[in-house]
Amino acid sequence: MHIQHNVDLAPFTTFGIHAVAESFVEVSTIEELRKAIAWAQAANTPFKVLGSGSNILVTDDVAGLIIRIRIMGRTSTVEASSATIHCGAGENWHSIVQWSVENGWGGLENLALIPGTVGAAPMQNIGAYGTEQSSCFVELQALDVTTGIVATVTKDECAFGYRESIFKRDLRHQMVITSVTYRLATAPVVNVSYRDVAEELHSCAVIEPQVADVFDAVVAIRQRKLPDPRVIGNAGSFFKNPVVDLDTYAQLVAAHPTMPSYAQADGTYKLAAAWLIDQCGWKGYRSGDAGVHDRQALVLVNHGNAVGSQLLELSMRIQHQVQDQFGVDLEREINVW
Ligand code: FAD
Ligand code: NAP
């Protein structure tokens, strides 16, 4: 375990924003993780956990220790109708999805090409194209920072919701996820309910899609539609899609008949945050190097040398205007450091 000091965080987040971490360490075992936490506690300094930095906006230099999770490893147990995979928290998410698809195991293919680590996936219950990681989730192991004990956390205990889990709420800063277990189907039924996926398969003349076809379709759509952080700094969707009750929905749709919305099973309605932001005229906006992506208004971008506080300020202006124009609160999805 090698603790470094005054480390530039730009290469460690997809926003690529320059900010200095007072101390920084990479851990590749649970024992190293325990030692890193003990080091911070003994120095009476705070610590933060980092995966691939694809859901973080750093707004200032970071005091204390940043612990980058590099705990690797993957195993599988195959039974008649399912394959159970157990993955270290530092494994690359997309690489695990690809490995599953190559083995013919289904369940994660709609979540192809989401940046980040396995350990961060339960944190906001990553989701895309009609699927969330919770649909295959079995349990995870996490180190309790107070006791130093690694505990198993069950699916119920994770309290997964739309881009939500207990790790963003009650257990924030309390548990460091060290590994995750998923159960995948060996005779999978694919989910092609999402319009873009169905259209992509249709345009490729795929009649009876298999897991690999859905994976290829999602990869193709994402490569075409979403900004690549290697080209332009971003952290994906900056805000969650707001979910409103029936009364609010009825008033909004009466005033804005073309507004996209998606009825939820519990009687609420999900609105498209990107549409609301676009209607306020923000798509393609740029001030200095901080901006809003010109094809996807939900994504804030760093054109080169933006600082985190500029992007945070921009995000707050967007929130205020959407509130003024539609009376809808946009909640941040990303983590602000
Ligand atoms: P980080 O950004 O490093 O960390 C995120 C949070 O999790 C932080 O609070 C961190 O402290 C905490 N954390 C990280 N690792 C651990 C751990 N082991 N234990 C405890 N806490 C931990 N998200 C979606 O849901 N769907 C998408 O389709 C999607 N598309 C994206 C597309 C792009 C281009 C980008 C840039 C991002 C996208 N995201 C998407 C967001 C992001 O990829 C996910 O949130 C991802 O899970 C973050 O993983 P990470 O390892 O980079 O986490
Ligand atoms: P899109 O297809 O343009 O759709 C816009 C929004 O409408 C999406 O966010 C999606 O909500 C919702 N939506 C569309 N069809 C839906 C349906 N059939 N049922 C329910 N909701 C529906 O979205 P996009 O920007 O190209 O993104 C495609 C997918 O990748 C989405 O699932 C999105 O969440 C995911 N993504 C996430 C991030 C991130 O950082 N979180 C970044 C890029 C892409 P949902 O978000 O609930 O799916």
Side-chain angles (χ1 to χ4, degrees), residues 28-85:
S28 51
T29 64
I30 291 173
E31 208 35 53
E32 285 183 356
L33 173 60
R34 277 202 188 97
K35 281 186 185 156
I37 294 171
W39 182 91
Q41 288 169 339
N44 203 17
T45 195
F47 66 88
K48 286 182 159 56
V49 175
L50 177 69
S52 302
S54 63
N55 205 21
I56 291 172
L57 175 67
V58 185
T59 55
D60 206 346
D61 291 345
V62 183
L65 177 66
I66 291 194
I67 304 175
R68 185 164 184 244
I69 305 296
R70 303 280 295 152
I71 300 170
M72 308 309 247
R74 57 180 81 170
T75 59
S76 62
T77 312
V78 182
E79 288 163 5
S81 63
S82 67
T84 304
I85 61 170

Side-chain angles (χ1 to χ4, degrees), residues 141-155:
Q141 282 67 45
L143 187 138
D144 183 321
V145 304
T146 309
T147 64
I149 292 170
V150 174
T152 294
V153 186
T154 65
K155 184 172 174 176

Side-chain angles (χ1 to χ4, degrees), residues 124 127-130 162-163 193-196 222 225-226 235-237 241 262 264 270 272 296 298 333:
Q124 73 155 6
Y129 302 100
Y162 172 58
R163 305 289 189 270
S193 60
Y194 206 92
R195 196 183 64 189
D196 276 6
R222 293 189 77 106
K225 280 188 76 172
L226 298 174
S237 305
N241 287 315
Y262 302 93
Q264 305 295 288
K270 187 171 69 183
Q296 171 49 283
L298 200 43
E333 178 177 307

Side-chain angles (χ1 to χ4, degrees), residues 14 49-56 69 89 114-117 119-121 123-128 163 172 175-178 222 226-227 229 234-237 333 335 337:
T14 55
V49 175
L50 177 69
S52 302
S54 63
N55 205 21
I56 291 172
I69 305 296
I114 298 182
T117 54
M123 176 80 185
Q124 73 155 6
N125 186 23
I126 56 170
R163 305 289 189 270
R172 188 180 266 281
M175 305 294 269
V176 183
I177 297 166
T178 54
R222 293 189 77 106
L226 298 174
N234 76 87
S237 305
E333 178 177 307
N335 303 275
W337 282 10

Side-chain angles (χ1 to χ4, degrees), residues 105-319:
W105 305 328
L108 300 179
E109 57 279 3
N110 295 49
L111 306 179
L113 226 54
I114 298 182
T117 54
V118 165
M123 176 80 185
Q124 73 155 6
N125 186 23
I126 56 170
Y129 302 100
T131 301
E132 293 175 340
Q133 65 89 46
S134 57
S135 64
C136 301
F137 181 94
V138 178
E139 63 185 25
L140 59 75
Q141 282 67 45
L143 187 138
D144 183 321
V145 304
T146 309
T147 64
I149 292 170
V150 174
T152 294
V153 186
T154 65
K155 184 172 174 176
D156 280 352
E157 288 166 342
C158 288
F160 290 126
Y162 172 58
R163 305 289 189 270
E164 274 299 340
S165 77
I166 194 140
F167 305 102
K168 283 186 93 169
R169 303 274 167 202
D170 303 15
L171 295 185
R172 188 180 266 281
H173 307 309
Q174 185 59 38
M175 305 294 269
V176 183
I177 297 166
T178 54
S179 60
V180 187
T181 305
Y182 292 102
R183 184 159 301 127
L184 309 176
T186 49
V189 177
V190 293
N191 171 6
V192 295
S193 60
Y194 206 92
R195 196 183 64 189
D196 276 6
V197 176
E199 285 179 0
E200 180 70 19
L201 290 166
H202 181 72
S203 73
C204 295
V206 179
I207 311 294
E208 287 182 22
Q210 307 298 305
V211 165
D213 300 311
V214 175
F215 173 88
D216 289 344
V218 169
V219 167
I221 299 165
R222 293 189 77 106
Q223 284 176 338
R224 201 165 56 232
K225 280 188 76 172
L226 298 174
D228 181 348
R230 289 169 302 185
V231 178
I232 185 162
N234 76 87
S237 305
F238 202 93
F239 305 102
K240 292 180 183 180
N241 287 315
V243 178
V244 298
D245 61 28
L246 176 60
D247 286 350
T248 310
Y249 164 74
Q251 284 168 26
L252 281 166
V253 85
H256 311 280
T258 60
M259 181 186 75
S261 62
Y262 302 93
Q264 305 295 288
D266 62 1
T268 59
Y269 286 80
K270 187 171 69 183
L271 311 180
W275 187 87
L276 300 171
I277 298 168
D278 192 9
Q279 294 300 300
C280 294
W282 286 105
K283 198 194 258 183
Y285 172 87
R286 177 170 180 171
S287 169
D289 277 348
V292 179
H293 195 256
D294 58 3
R295 277 178 290 130
Q296 171 49 283
L298 200 43
V299 177
L300 269 54
V301 291
N302 171 16
H303 286 284
N305 289 308
V307 293
S309 55
Q310 282 177 306
L311 283 157
L312 186 61
E313 193 195 327
L314 172 59
S315 76
M316 292 194 285
R317 288 174 62 199
I318 293 170
Q319 282 171 312

